[in-house]
Amino acid sequence: MTDTKSDIPGVLAPPPLIYLGFLLAGIALEFLVVRTQGLDMPGSLRWTVVPLFVLAGGGLIAAALLRFRAAGTPAPPWQPATAFVAQGVYRWTRNPMYLGMALAYIGLAVAANAPAALWLLVPLIMTIHYGVIVREERYMAHRFGTAYLNYFHRVPRWL
């Protein structure tokens, strides 16, 4: 019997909470410290960009979750993986959920008119990369061996 505490990637924190934390920090930074004039973007363009990014992000996340469900493996990285998914959106990116969260983050930062939240996108992606993705990739390589490593070398991390 496998110890479930050692049979997980050991990510820094739940990825949705990392994205949400950075978004809230960026909005707070914008309105409490930086106080810029916001994004110089016409309202009609803003309300075209926001749904486009949020819906695209949500669509990627939903498509990825459906693939996990079809494979019978849990999506949360604090649960042991029973399979790795290489079909659907996973044919184009190894991390469609994190890509989707990044797109939704951009849309929500634009909706909040908070350039400071957009400035935090690079540190956010670095945190996701080192605190989540690298750990998950190491775990998946250990758990699924050559099959995962072949996938790893064939499919890009983001796009």
Side-chain angles (χ1 to χ4, degrees), residues 4-126:
T4 55
K5 288 187 183 213
S6 64
D7 189 27
I8 56 173
V11 299
L12 183 65
L17 292 181
I18 296 172
Y19 278 92
L20 180 61
F22 270 87
L23 181 63
L24 294 175
I27 292 170
L29 181 65
E30 179 68 38
F31 291 101
L32 299 175
V33 179
V34 178
R35 296 186 180 152
T36 67
Q37 296 300 311
L39 298 166
D40 188 21
M41 179 184 291
S44 60
L45 178 60
R46 173 176 290 127
W47 297 113
T48 301
V49 167
V50 168
L52 180 70
F53 275 81
V54 172
L55 291 174
L60 275 173
I61 294 166
L65 288 172
L66 287 171
R67 284 294 167 179
F68 269 59
R69 179 175 289 161
T73 191
W78 52 88
Q79 296 178 358
T82 58
F84 80 88
V85 179
Q87 301 81 27
V89 292
Y90 285 92
R91 289 179 292 166
W92 300 292
T93 172
R94 293 194 313 265
N95 295 294
M97 285 189 238
Y98 305 144
L99 179 59
M101 287 180 212
L103 292 173
Y105 177 98
I106 293 167
L108 294 171
V110 170
N113 199 23
L118 294 174
W119 302 338
L120 292 179
L121 186 60
V122 170
L124 165 59
I125 296 303
M126 298 293 288

